[in-house]
Each structure stands twice: as structure tokens, then as C-alpha cells.
Amino acid sequence: MEKVTGLIAAAFTPFHEDGAINHSLIPALVDKLVEDGLRGIFVCGSNGEGPNMTTAERMEVAEAFVKAAGKRLLVFVHVGHSSIAEARLLAAHAQAIGADAISAVAAFYFKPTSVQNLADSMAQIAAAAPELPFYYYHIPHLTGVGMDMIEFLRIAGPAIPNLAGIKYTATSLQEYQSCLEYENGKFDILFGLDEMLLPAMAVGAKGAIGSTYTFAAPLYLKTMELFKAGRMDEARASHAYMVEVIRYLVKYPPIPGQKAIMQMLGWNLGPCRLPLTTFSPEAYNRFQGELARLSFFDKAPARKTVQTS
Amino acid sequence: MEKVTGLIAAAFTPFHEDGAINHSLIPALVDKLVEDGLRGIFVCGSNGEGPNMTTAERMEVAEAFVKAAGKRLLVFVHVGHSSIAEARLLAAHAQAIGADAISAVAAFYFKPTSVQNLADSMAQIAAAAPELPFYYYHIPHLTGVGMDMIEFLRIAGPAIPNLAGIKYTATSLQEYQSCLEYENGKFDILFGLDEMLLPAMAVGAKGAIGSTYTFAAPLYLKTMELFKAGRMDEARASHAYMVEVIRYLVKYPPIPGQKAIMQMLGWNLGPCRLPLTTFSPEAYNRFQGELARLSFFDKAPARKTVQTS
Amino acid sequence: MEKVTGLIAAAFTPFHEDGAINHSLIPALVDKLVEDGLRGIFVCGSNGEGPNMTTAERMEVAEAFVKAAGKRLLVFVHVGHSSIAEARLLAAHAQAIGADAISAVAAFYFKPTSVQNLADSMAQIAAAAPELPFYYYHIPHLTGVGMDMIEFLRIAGPAIPNLAGIKYTATSLQEYQSCLEYENGKFDILFGLDEMLLPAMAVGAKGAIGSTYTFAAPLYLKTMELFKAGRMDEARASHAYMVEVIRYLVKYPPIPGQKAIMQMLGWNLGPCRLPLTTFSPEAYNRFQGELARLSFFDKAPARKTVQTS
Amino acid sequence: MEKVTGLIAAAFTPFHEDGAINHSLIPALVDKLVEDGLRGIFVCGSNGEGPNMTTAERMEVAEAFVKAAGKRLLVFVHVGHSSIAEARLLAAHAQAIGADAISAVAAFYFKPTSVQNLADSMAQIAAAAPELPFYYYHIPHLTGVGMDMIEFLRIAGPAIPNLAGIKYTATSLQEYQSCLEYENGKFDILFGLDEMLLPAMAVGAKGAIGSTYTFAAPLYLKTMELFKAGRMDEARASHAYMVEVIRYLVKYPPIPGQKAIMQMLGWNLGPCRLPLTTFSPEAYNRFQGELARLSFFDKAPARKTVQTS
């Protein structure tokens, strides 16, 4: 697989009100992402509530997205799990169903205690899907595992034949830049913090994975165009808008907040599963008002046809 | 179930060298724990590497221990998981196989953000095994979830009909004492830090769950006897011995370290699974030497017959 | 100096409403502590807001307490500072004015990064008051410096001729016990968490330093008597009372909360200095009501004569 | 004072071998910084070991730098202290000696617990130097105080008449961008992480304060020129060089490491004070070798005349 350029949406998993998976919405959601110009989707990750689902459910959801994608966009399946044995099952399944890549966070109950230990752990997972590119998912604020990523590339590069790169979800752009430039840019280092996309581009980011790309990709794509055209002041102003939206968002629990945004835009993706919470009507209305004052609903693409499911 | 008095061993899971579960050792291990005077076993917890196993494996291991126990001692099955849905499967299974109690840590990828949220999450798990006593497993240094346990009892008490108590693995003995005394001692608050057992008894502990009880229960039981007899100075001296042993232990990764101790005592429980590590021969020998200098092998009960499996 | 047995009050510093030091209250406060049966006072520590005062003010306050004590009780002067150079000035001053001992926290802006580094730092401070016993003040939750205290004794013991021991303010009673027993009890390890005094006694504590001893020493002394008499159940019940009081206290900022308690008991010690806050009248009244419901004012000794200053 | 554009060097404090301040080097050091194109110096901050010095020493050092600067570059005096009372003395002194601005970290023993509390604390300090611009020094990884900086500007803006802005030393560029744009760019938000200067410029940084500007300002100024000229690829390559140098640096304790670099370049600034450490000859040689392999000594400006003091 070539290096990824463009945006990959960290897709939400639609649930019914009773918490069961709502498969029926997945095809329309994927169609929307294709139309919005996404390059890929990342499924069963943090935003997809992968860690809230059973292994069987994760496999079902991955399969539904792969099928809906129909090779129109890349499908990354997140297979990270506290149990490496379980992660291997998910990895093998992802390969079997025709996913384009897999990715895994570090084990997060017992945590790797050294870069070597992390690389050993990831090697076991990657080996279960040897035909797929493997991306280590670096997200220290959620997993509590904050290893040196240059050391990781140095150790894991030779040890994991299908290591493609890193989904890099951290603010340390100096290390991010070093990873991009490591061995003449050998690895694909996808950036994972939407609200820092512009400064990440300044140090070389070409591809990014993020949750807000699910509902606001066109706004980011415009920022990217302006940056590429050397129009920095306009790029910064364009980027500032999403920075402000996210500033409001993160005053709420962010995954429930984004499911609320999706609902405001016509996509009823249902509740989140515990321990994640779901917006109360009051919080929903307050948040909707805040976004309206930012003219968000004039800018983000709403669902074209009313949702019926 | 009455309140538990005495010691419950947090059992290790035996693995073969290739990482597969070594079921053959479980009956002998349980026999040993019965002989050592244990009141119960806690299976698939942290020390049992529950979070390192697949759901299917956890079920197998729980079943093997329940069968081996044959009601000679209580079997607590740990069902905690990052996915509450998966934890519910484990809970229902534990009830079906005749376990005596279940216990669960807080979800540890997405983490509860309030006591109410924690109680809501635990209620979903407890409801999947309604006939079994449920113990919340409070272990903030591993899960990162450090809620107020008095508030938890206040909220979860009425909301979880089968809430029996807490496996309390934290050093905050003032809160531990408050939990013991909450509503005239309504709940069973089992203490989880072996090296603080004596001071925990001073504030009222009657039952405890811990990993070192697997290999050193007689030493702790002697301390408990001395304490109950009011012979505090002797109790303190007795307790000091295991404090010193554990002080050496925790300079190593503690679960691999305890599997090494078991091996020194004649029980080859095999390696740990990643991301846990396994002792190198050098570390094993050094640790064995340290324990020998503490006369540990004169005091801890060795396996009676040589291991053949 | 012999090892300290009994209780040492971590004294509050009285301020006027405008934040200036209220020296006039110090003699009466010391008289009260003598009457309450305290063995010593610890001045300019955390509770005395030492880190909120200038060096000149700390010297004044230390001097006032030493003078008021008049050798009726021991005076420990806390000299810890982010600057070791400044701490040395405080240490030399404490010796010059006739204090009985000094104590210092680890530097807390730049923090020691190893036990050796901590011992080197403490050695510089202790050397500035060579005639006074030096106690390292271990309080990791405030300083963020959480070194191994046995290693500290091992390295600092030979390196600091006047090392007397540790003011141990942490919940890890296994390490506390090991420190008490290190080299046959060579060092004086004073316990610093009032709400864990009873379990600390179970592992050998004989002396303790704490803030609530300023207003509730008689209640703790009774617990200590019961413990020494082997009446564990009564000791536990007695201790439980202060555990509950402190449970209410720590829902508020604890230093302002204790200044509020002192005011309820007739001692107007004035506001705290920023960044510490001072109780609003509403919070004061609510807290007073909570304590009244615990019958606190029937148990804690009130000021005998009405405060006039 | 207008907003600062360009680079401000976080100056090191020269010490003699015995730890006393080496005033004699200050004039030459300032001359060098003027020649290197710096816009200002920041004295007695973290890199200047302000927290390691006494108040009297901090005043002496500030005075020496102000005098040496002679208005050729701006002098920011850091007055932050665990004691606000002591910080006020430093602030008043800075104004009296003709400094251009003051800056303060949050109190770091007792720490502000809310944005309001932080703003109240900073207001007391700023009021002691009412004629000087005041910059809040946001450095959460050292102080442990990580407040929302937009909220800080909202509350402190009206409350602190001389609030000029923030020295922003954190990786969260989305918040940094928001601060720059707050109220149409009302405040001067100087960036404090040298290794992220380029991405910070992408979101609008015009001025920056940092320690490596003391020895490598010309290399950064080149990056800034390329960025302003819209030559992003070259700017990135230029920036990458210092990212790599700093990557090597931070494997060592960074302040001792930078004093070592200064010595390699001909400036013997002496040891660091405890708890900071000083390079051993072995570490010094190893580090020098690493930098030589990066051709660092061909790029960074060496001292023109051999140091004699």
C-alpha cells in the first residue's frame, strides 16, 4: 500500500437505542464519506467504540464497513485489545474479510514497559495479518503508554515485516516530524489530532485520521488546499474555525458530543455504550445552540435525505 | 454468601511454554491451596492474567478452577473487561458453571468519569449474574480509576441488588476503614494488598485477597493468629518478614516474579503472556539467591511431590 | 535527641485579615498545645503555609514559636524550599534561634531525579544546621517526589551525620514499617497521616506529626492509649471518629478547612494566603453544621477564654 | 510595549565552580546575544535556574543582565516563586531596576486549583510592578498547573491591567492558536518550545522565548525567514536540524546539557545547582561526539575570543 494522503474518518459505530449495533446505517454513512472526499475510514477505533464492543461485534462491524466501502475508500480496522490473543483474532479476521490495513493500540491493562516490549507485543499482533499493512496506534493520553516513537521505528521496523507506520495521536510535533523524516520517510505517519492538522502539515503531514473528518471533512480539505497553495494566512483562518468548534466540543465528553453533532446533521447514530455517556436533551440543546452561534450548520454538510431507520 | 473471613489466593494461570493454557496443573494447585488453609481463590484476575486471555480462554480457566475446587473453597471469578458487553458474557458464564462470586474492575480503556457512571457500569455487569454476589474490584493503580468508595457504596448499594462488597486494592486505609464500617458493616470489604495486611487488620479487615497467599499463606495465617491473640509485637515481627520478601519481589515485575517464586517452590506455571515478561535465567538466579538469603525456602511450603507435567 | 514519642502538631500560622502575620496569637496557641498534651510542634510546614511566606517571614514565625515554646515542647522548623540555597539560610537560622530539629521537603520546582540526587540535596541543607537533628520530609503527593525511602536511608544515613529520620507522609505502610525496622530501628520515622495513625501504630509508629493534632490531640491520645492497652476494638472505634471528621474535612480544601475549624473552636487564625483560599461564610456555615452533626464540638477542646485580639 | 517579534533567549545563569554567581561573564554573554540577532533575554527563568537561587541572588542577576543589556534588547525578568509574597518583592525590584517586562509561573508548592484562583494569584504579583507588562508563564509539565489559557485570558484580562500576554510553553497548538486569535489578537502569546517553533509559526507565532536560542539563534532565524518567504519545504528541512539536535539533548537532563553545549562553544557557565546535576566528563565527551556527528559545531556560532575568566 502506498502512503496515504488525504483524510481518513475515524468512524462512529451506529447503535440502536437498546445498544445493539445498527447495521442499517453503515452503507449510507460510507456513501456520505465517499462524497465528502475522504480517502479512507478507520473502524472500531476509539471513536468507533471498539473497546466497548465484544470481539464478535467488532468483527461484524468491520465486515459491514468493508462491504459498504467496496474499495471506494481504504478501510483500516482497529484490532487493539487488552489481550494480545484477542487482538490476533481480530487481525486475522480483518485480513480474511479484505480490509486494507490494521492498526492496534498498545495493550492497556498490563502496559508495555519498554520500547522493546511494545515492539514485541505489536509483532505478535501484526503477524496474525501478515498480508496487511500494520500501523501502531500511538495515543498516550488514552492508553497511558507514551514510548519514544523513533525508538519504536528503529526496533519494530526490522522486526515487523508489515509495519507500515504509525497513527500518531499526540501533540509532540517535534517527534512527529522526526518520525516522518526517519530513514528518508520510510514510514507512513498519519496524524491523529484534527485540531492540530495545520501545524502538523507544516512539519510534513500528508495524511490524517480523525473523528471530526466524519462530519467536517470539506472544511479541512479546504484548509489543506490553501496550505498547499502557500496561502498560509488563509489556511490559518480556515483552520481556526474548526479549532473553535472543537474547543466547544471538548467541554463535553467528546465521543458523545460528536454523536450529538451527527444527529444534528441528520444522522441518528444512537447512544454510546457505558462507560461512555449519552447527551441529555438539555446538553444536546445547549451544544446545538453553541454550534449554531458559530454558524456551524451553515458550513458542515447535512444529511441529504431524512433518516428513516 | 456470608462475609468472607480468611485468605483468598489470587491464582496464577498456568501456561505451557508456547503460551497455551496448561490445564493439567490446576487440580494440584487447588489441592495445595486447600491444604495451605486458603478460604477461596480468585481466578482470571490481574495475577491470573485475565486481561491477557481471550474470553473463551477465561471461561475455560474459570471452569477448570470451579471444577477443581469442588466446593472445598470459594471461587471468585474475575469478569472485568474493557468492554462491558464482554464482561456480561463472562459474568453469565461464571454463574452457569457454579462459581461462588464474581468481581470486576472498572472499564479501563474508556474509564468511568464519576461514581454514578461507575455504578451504572457495574450494575450492567452484576445484572448478568444476578444469583451471584458481586464485588467491585477497586485497583486504581492499575485501572487509573480512583473513585470515592464510600460514595460508590452509597450509590451502588441500592442500585445493585447483588452487590456484596469491594475487593479493595489501595493503600488508603482510612477509606478502607470507612467502607468496613459503612451502614454498620453491611458490605464485605476484602483487602487486596498483602504487604499491608496487618495494618488493615488493625482497622478491621477480616478477609483478604492476594497473590502472595498462593505461596505463603501459612506465614500470613500465623500473623493473623498473633494479631487476634493480641500479641501485637509478635504479629508485627511476623508480618515484617513478608514485607521484606515483597520488597525484594517488587524490584522485579511482580507477576513474572511470583511465577518465578512458584517455580522455585516446585510449580512450573510457565511464562507470562505479553506485554508481561518472563524472567531470564540470570534474573531468576539472582532473585532465587536473594530469597535464599532471606531463608525464604525454609519458610514457604514447597511442592510435596516433584512436578512431572 | 531521643526518638520522639507522642504527637507533634503541624502548627498553622496566624495571619491578620490583610495577610500580615499575627504574632500575638502564637503564645496562646502554644500554651494550648502544651495543655493538650502535645510533645512538639512543627512550624512553617505545609499547614503552616511555609511555602507561602517569604524567607524573612518564615524566620520571624519560627522565632516566635521557639520563644513561646520555652522548651516545654519540641520545635521542629521546616526549612524546605525550591531553592536549596534559601533552605540553607533557613536551616542556619533555625539552629541559631534554638530550634530542636529541622526538616525539609525535596526541592519541588526542579525535582530530584534519583535517590542519590535527593540525598545530595538534603545533605547540603542538613549541613547548614549541623547541630540539629535533620528529618527528611517525605510527602510525595505534594512535592511529586516519591523516592524509595529505604534506599534513601541507605544512602543518606552515612552521608548526613545529623540525619535523625523521616517525617513520613504517605500511605505506603509496608515501606513505613521497613523504615522503622531499618538497621534495628536506627532512625526516627514519624508518621504524617493523621487519619491512618492507628494502622501506622500497628506496624510500629510511636510518634506522629499532623495538622489535626492542633485541634483534636486528646481524641488521638485516647486512641493511642487504647491501642497500647491492647484494646483493639475500642481503639478502632475511637480512631473511626477522627477518620469520619477528616472525611468531611477533605471535601474542602484542607488547610482552609482546618483554619475554619480552629475559628469554630475560638481561634481566629485569619485567612490563608493565595493560592490557598479562604472559606466563604456559606461554606463555613455548612461545614460547621456537618461537624455539629458529628457532635464534634462536644468532643474537641474549645478555646478556654474568648479571643480578644 | 509592542508585541514582541523575533527570538528571546532564556538565558543561563553563569556560576563559578563553587556555585557562586559568576557575574563577570554576563556582559559578554549579552553582547553575543545582541550579535546573534536576539530581540530579548528572559532571565532567572527555568533555564536561568531562578528557582535554585535565593531572592537576593535573583535580584543581583536580574540587575546584571539589565545593565549589560543597556536597552539593546528587551529584558524579561522571571519573578515566579512558590511564595507570592516573595514574587512580589522580585516584581517590584524588576521594575525598580528598569527591566522591560516581568513574567511568573504559577505557585508550584500549593498550586492554583481553578482559573480564577490562578488569575487572583497572578494579579497580586502583577500589581507589584504596575508599570511593567506582565506575562503569565504557562509551563504545565514543570509546575503541574495546566489551566485553560483562553479562560485565563477571559478572567485575567480585565483583572490585571498590565497583563501583556503569555509565555506559552506547551505542545497544545490548538489552544495556542486560540490564544493568539483571542479578541482579535489582543494579547502577546510568546511560544516557548523551540523544537516546535515552525509548527507554531504555522498557527501564527511571531515571537518566541527559548533556551536553545542562546546558542543557535541564527539557525532558527533562517527557518523563520524561509517560512515568511513561503518556502515551506526548505523551512521544514531547516527546522528539522534543530529538532534532531534537541532530540539528542533531551536524552540528557536538558539544562545541564545546554550548559555543556555552551562550554563546547567556548562559554564556561559553570555547574548547575542541585537538584540539577552537572555533566560528568564521560557524558560531556559522549554528548560532544554526538553533536559533532551532527556537524553541530560547523553550524552553531562559537565564542569569538577564548574565555579567560
Side-chain angles (χ1 to χ4, degrees):
Chain A
M1 193 166 86
E2 288 182 7
K3 278 188 201 164
V4 175
T5 57
L7 298 179
I8 294 177
F12 306 104
T13 298
F15 293 119
H16 288 295
E17 286 306 314
D18 67 357
I21 294 163
N22 182 356
H23 288 279
S24 69
L25 270 178
I26 291 175
L29 196 55
V30 172
D31 289 349
K32 166 212 164 47
L33 295 171
V34 172
E35 283 168 37
D36 280 0
L38 275 297
R39 176 74 188 100
I41 48 178
F42 187 91
V43 304
C44 297
S46 302
N47 287 288
E49 295 184 58
N52 282 347
M53 290 190 279
T54 65
T55 296
E57 289 172 329
R58 288 170 72 161
M59 290 178 175
E60 283 171 35
V61 168
E63 206 158 344
F65 273 104
V66 167
K67 192 175 158 198
K71 295 292 168 194
R72 294 176 297 167
L73 32 63
L74 299 167
V75 182
F76 284 62
V77 177
H78 175 248
V79 303
H81 199 283
S82 56
S83 160
I84 289 173
E86 203 84 73
R88 285 173 56 86
L89 299 179
L90 290 164
H93 176 264
Q95 181 172 300
I97 62 173
D100 297 290
I102 59 166
S103 182
V105 293
F108 44 87
Y109 186 80
F110 298 122
K111 300 179 189 199
T113 52
S114 69
V115 178
Q116 183 67 54
N117 187 217
L118 172 64
D120 290 346
S121 301
M122 291 299 116
Q124 287 197 343
I125 297 173
E131 295 165 24
L132 294 188
F134 176 81
Y135 289 77
Y136 171 56
Y137 184 171
H138 177 60
I139 183 166
H141 71 278
L142 265 180
T143 59
V145 179
M147 298 289 170
D148 182 318
M149 285 295 97
I150 290 291
E151 282 303 295
F152 177 76
L153 292 176
R154 196 179 61 74
I155 293 174
I160 303 180
N162 52 334
L163 181 67
I166 299 173
K167 170 172 177 358
Y168 193 100
T169 305
T171 56
S172 39
L173 289 184
Q174 77 281 17
E175 186 187 65
Y176 178 67
Q177 179 172 3
S178 293
C179 288
L180 284 168
E181 291 165 0
Y182 182 75
E183 289 197 3
N184 298 310
K186 182 177 177 183
F187 293 105
D188 193 15
I189 316 293
L190 299 167
F191 193 66
L193 287 172
D194 314 5
E195 63 272 43
M196 279 179 56
L197 178 60
L198 178 63
M201 294 181 74
V203 297
K206 299 278 189 284
I209 302 176
S211 55
T212 67
Y213 308 147
T214 306
F215 52 81
L219 302 177
Y220 289 101
L221 291 170
K222 186 183 155 206
T223 301
M224 294 172 86
E225 283 307 309
L226 290 165
F227 175 85
K228 282 180 215 157
R231 295 156 66 182
M232 278 303 300
D233 289 344
E234 290 163 88
R236 185 160 50 247
S238 172
H239 185 58
Y241 180 73
M242 282 309 300
V243 167
E244 193 170 4
V245 167
I246 292 174
R247 188 172 157 77
Y248 278 91
L249 168 61
V250 296
K251 292 181 191 283
Y252 300 91
I255 298 175
Q258 290 176 92
K259 279 199 158 176
I261 289 176
M262 290 298 282
Q263 188 165 356
M264 295 171 199
L265 295 172
W267 296 91
N268 183 4
L269 304 182
C272 290
R273 286 187 177 178
L274 287 172
L276 297 181
T277 53
T278 300
F279 270 45
S280 66
E282 293 71 31
Y284 183 94
N285 288 335
R286 187 169 65 244
F287 187 32
Q288 195 168 31
E290 289 165 354
L291 292 172
R293 278 191 293 282
L294 298 175
S295 306
F296 179 72
F297 303 108
D298 304 335
K299 304 195 181 201
R303 191 174 185 184
K304 283 173 186 161
T305 56
V306 175
Q307 186 173 357
T308 57
S309 61
Chain B
M1 195 166 84
E2 287 181 8
K3 279 188 200 165
V4 175
T5 57
L7 298 179
I8 296 177
F12 306 105
T13 298
F15 292 119
H16 289 295
E17 286 306 313
D18 67 356
I21 293 163
N22 182 355
H23 287 280
S24 69
L25 271 178
I26 290 176
L29 196 55
V30 172
D31 289 349
K32 167 214 165 45
L33 296 171
V34 172
E35 284 168 37
D36 281 359
L38 275 296
R39 177 72 188 100
I41 49 176
F42 187 91
V43 304
C44 297
S46 303
N47 287 288
E49 296 185 57
N52 281 349
M53 290 191 278
T54 65
T55 295
E57 290 173 328
R58 288 170 72 161
M59 290 178 177
E60 282 171 36
V61 169
E63 207 159 342
F65 273 103
V66 167
K67 194 175 158 197
K71 295 292 169 194
R72 294 176 296 166
L73 34 61
L74 299 168
V75 182
F76 284 62
V77 178
H78 175 248
V79 303
H81 199 284
S82 57
S83 160
I84 290 172
E86 203 83 72
R88 285 173 55 87
L89 298 178
L90 290 163
H93 176 264
Q95 180 173 301
I97 63 172
D100 296 292
I102 59 167
S103 182
V105 294
F108 44 86
Y109 187 80
F110 298 122
K111 300 178 188 199
T113 52
S114 68
V115 178
Q116 182 67 56
N117 188 217
L118 173 63
D120 290 347
S121 301
M122 291 300 115
Q124 287 196 343
I125 297 172
E131 294 165 24
L132 293 187
F134 176 81
Y135 289 77
Y136 170 56
Y137 185 172
H138 177 59
I139 184 165
H141 71 279
L142 265 181
T143 58
V145 179
M147 297 290 170
D148 182 319
M149 285 296 96
I150 290 291
E151 281 303 295
F152 176 76
L153 292 177
R154 196 180 60 74
I155 293 174
I160 302 180
N162 52 334
L163 181 68
I166 299 172
K167 172 174 176 356
Y168 193 101
T169 304
T171 56
S172 40
L173 289 185
Q174 76 281 16
E175 186 186 66
Y176 177 66
Q177 180 172 2
S178 294
C179 287
L180 284 168
E181 291 164 359
Y182 182 76
E183 290 196 1
N184 298 309
K186 182 176 178 184
F187 294 104
D188 194 15
I189 314 294
L190 299 166
F191 193 66
L193 287 172
D194 314 6
E195 63 272 43
M196 279 178 58
L197 178 60
L198 178 63
M201 292 181 76
V203 298
K206 299 279 188 282
I209 302 176
S211 55
T212 67
Y213 307 146
T214 306
F215 53 80
L219 301 177
Y220 289 102
L221 291 170
K222 186 183 154 206
T223 301
M224 294 171 87
E225 283 307 309
L226 291 165
F227 175 84
K228 282 180 215 156
R231 295 158 65 183
M232 278 302 302
D233 289 345
E234 290 164 87
R236 184 160 51 247
S238 172
H239 184 58
Y241 180 72
M242 283 309 300
V243 166
E244 193 169 5
V245 168
I246 292 174
R247 189 172 158 76
Y248 278 90
L249 168 61
V250 297
K251 294 182 190 281
Y252 300 91
I255 297 175
Q258 291 177 92
K259 279 198 158 176
I261 287 176
M262 290 298 283
Q263 188 165 356
M264 295 170 198
L265 296 173
W267 296 91
N268 183 4
L269 304 182
C272 290
R273 286 187 176 178
L274 287 172
L276 296 181
T277 53
T278 300
F279 269 46
S280 67
E282 293 71 31
Y284 183 92
N285 289 335
R286 187 169 64 244
F287 187 32
Q288 195 168 31
E290 289 165 352
L291 292 172
R293 278 191 292 281
L294 298 176
S295 305
F296 179 71
F297 303 109
D298 304 334
K299 304 195 181 202
R303 192 173 185 186
K304 285 172 185 163
T305 56
V306 174
Q307 185 173 357
T308 57
S309 61
Chain C
M1 195 166 83
E2 287 181 9
K3 278 189 202 164
V4 175
T5 57
L7 298 179
I8 295 176
F12 306 104
T13 298
F15 292 120
H16 289 295
E17 286 306 313
D18 67 356
I21 293 163
N22 181 355
H23 288 280
S24 68
L25 271 177
I26 291 176
L29 197 54
V30 172
D31 289 347
K32 167 212 164 46
L33 295 171
V34 172
E35 283 168 38
D36 281 359
L38 274 297
R39 177 73 188 100
I41 49 177
F42 187 92
V43 304
C44 296
S46 302
N47 287 287
E49 296 183 59
N52 281 348
M53 290 190 280
T54 64
T55 295
E57 289 173 328
R58 288 170 72 162
M59 290 179 176
E60 283 172 36
V61 168
E63 207 158 341
F65 273 104
V66 167
K67 192 175 158 198
K71 295 293 169 193
R72 294 176 297 168
L73 32 63
L74 299 168
V75 183
F76 285 62
V77 177
H78 175 250
V79 303
H81 198 283
S82 57
S83 161
I84 289 172
E86 201 85 70
R88 285 173 55 87
L89 299 179
L90 290 164
H93 175 265
Q95 181 173 300
I97 62 171
D100 297 290
I102 59 166
S103 181
V105 294
F108 44 87
Y109 187 80
F110 298 122
K111 300 179 189 198
T113 53
S114 69
V115 178
Q116 183 67 55
N117 187 216
L118 173 64
D120 290 347
S121 300
M122 290 300 115
Q124 287 196 344
I125 298 173
E131 295 165 25
L132 294 188
F134 176 81
Y135 289 77
Y136 170 56
Y137 184 172
H138 177 59
I139 184 164
H141 70 278
L142 265 181
T143 59
V145 179
M147 299 291 170
D148 182 318
M149 285 296 95
I150 291 291
E151 282 303 294
F152 176 76
L153 292 177
R154 197 180 60 75
I155 294 175
I160 303 180
N162 52 334
L163 182 68
I166 300 173
K167 171 172 176 357
Y168 193 100
T169 305
T171 56
S172 39
L173 289 185
Q174 76 282 16
E175 186 188 63
Y176 177 67
Q177 180 172 3
S178 293
C179 288
L180 284 169
E181 291 164 0
Y182 182 76
E183 289 196 2
N184 299 308
K186 181 176 178 184
F187 293 105
D188 193 15
I189 316 293
L190 299 166
F191 193 66
L193 286 172
D194 314 4
E195 62 273 43
M196 279 178 58
L197 177 61
L198 178 63
M201 293 181 76
V203 298
K206 300 279 188 280
I209 302 176
S211 55
T212 67
Y213 307 146
T214 306
F215 52 80
L219 301 178
Y220 288 102
L221 290 171
K222 186 183 155 205
T223 300
M224 293 172 87
E225 283 307 310
L226 291 165
F227 176 84
K228 282 180 216 158
R231 295 158 67 183
M232 279 302 302
D233 289 345
E234 290 163 88
R236 186 161 50 247
S238 172
H239 185 58
Y241 180 72
M242 282 310 299
V243 166
E244 193 170 5
V245 168
I246 292 174
R247 190 173 157 76
Y248 277 90
L249 168 61
V250 296
K251 292 182 191 282
Y252 299 90
I255 297 175
Q258 290 177 94
K259 280 200 159 175
I261 288 176
M262 289 298 282
Q263 188 165 356
M264 293 170 200
L265 295 172
W267 297 91
N268 183 4
L269 305 181
C272 290
R273 287 189 176 177
L274 286 172
L276 297 181
T277 52
T278 299
F279 269 45
S280 66
E282 293 72 31
Y284 183 93
N285 288 335
R286 188 169 64 244
F287 187 32
Q288 194 169 31
E290 289 165 352
L291 292 172
R293 278 191 292 282
L294 298 175
S295 305
F296 179 71
F297 303 109
D298 304 336
K299 304 193 181 204
R303 191 173 186 186
K304 284 172 187 163
T305 55
V306 175
Q307 184 173 0
T308 57
S309 61
Chain D
M1 194 167 84
E2 286 182 10
K3 278 188 202 165
V4 174
T5 57
L7 298 180
I8 295 176
F12 306 105
T13 299
F15 292 119
H16 288 295
E17 286 306 313
D18 66 357
I21 294 163
N22 182 354
H23 287 281
S24 69
L25 271 177
I26 290 175
L29 197 55
V30 172
D31 290 349
K32 167 213 163 45
L33 296 171
V34 172
E35 283 168 37
D36 281 0
L38 274 297
R39 177 74 188 98
I41 49 176
F42 187 90
V43 304
C44 297
S46 303
N47 287 287
E49 296 184 57
N52 281 348
M53 291 191 278
T54 64
T55 295
E57 289 172 329
R58 288 170 72 162
M59 290 178 175
E60 283 172 35
V61 169
E63 206 158 343
F65 272 105
V66 166
K67 192 174 158 198
K71 295 291 169 196
R72 293 176 298 167
L73 32 63
L74 299 167
V75 182
F76 284 63
V77 177
H78 175 248
V79 302
H81 199 283
S82 57
S83 160
I84 290 172
E86 203 85 72
R88 285 172 56 87
L89 298 179
L90 290 163
H93 176 264
Q95 181 173 302
I97 63 173
D100 296 291
I102 59 167
S103 182
V105 294
F108 44 86
Y109 187 81
F110 298 121
K111 300 178 188 198
T113 53
S114 69
V115 178
Q116 182 68 54
N117 187 216
L118 173 63
D120 290 346
S121 301
M122 290 300 115
Q124 287 196 344
I125 298 173
E131 294 165 25
L132 294 187
F134 176 82
Y135 289 78
Y136 171 57
Y137 183 171
H138 177 60
I139 184 165
H141 71 280
L142 265 181
T143 58
V145 179
M147 298 289 170
D148 182 320
M149 285 296 97
I150 290 291
E151 281 304 294
F152 176 76
L153 293 177
R154 195 180 60 75
I155 293 175
I160 302 180
N162 52 334
L163 181 68
I166 299 172
K167 170 170 175 1
Y168 193 100
T169 305
T171 57
S172 41
L173 289 185
Q174 76 281 17
E175 186 187 66
Y176 177 66
Q177 179 172 2
S178 293
C179 288
L180 284 168
E181 292 165 358
Y182 183 75
E183 289 196 2
N184 298 310
K186 181 175 178 185
F187 293 104
D188 193 14
I189 316 293
L190 299 167
F191 193 66
L193 288 171
D194 313 7
E195 63 272 43
M196 280 179 57
L197 177 61
L198 178 63
M201 293 181 76
V203 298
K206 299 278 189 282
I209 302 176
S211 55
T212 67
Y213 307 146
T214 306
F215 53 80
L219 301 177
Y220 288 102
L221 291 170
K222 186 182 153 207
T223 301
M224 293 172 87
E225 283 307 309
L226 291 165
F227 176 84
K228 282 180 215 157
R231 294 158 67 183
M232 278 302 301
D233 289 344
E234 290 163 89
R236 184 160 51 247
S238 172
H239 184 59
Y241 180 71
M242 282 310 300
V243 166
E244 194 170 4
V245 168
I246 292 174
R247 189 173 157 75
Y248 277 90
L249 167 61
V250 296
K251 293 181 192 283
Y252 300 90
I255 297 174
Q258 291 177 91
K259 279 200 159 175
I261 288 176
M262 290 297 283
Q263 187 165 358
M264 295 170 200
L265 295 173
W267 297 91
N268 184 3
L269 304 182
C272 291
R273 286 188 178 178
L274 286 172
L276 296 181
T277 53
T278 299
F279 269 45
S280 66
E282 294 71 31
Y284 183 93
N285 288 335
R286 188 169 64 245
F287 187 31
Q288 194 168 32
E290 289 165 352
L291 292 173
R293 278 192 291 282
L294 298 175
S295 306
F296 179 71
F297 303 108
D298 304 335
K299 305 195 180 202
R303 191 173 185 186
K304 283 171 187 163
T305 57
V306 175
Q307 185 172 356
T308 57
S309 60

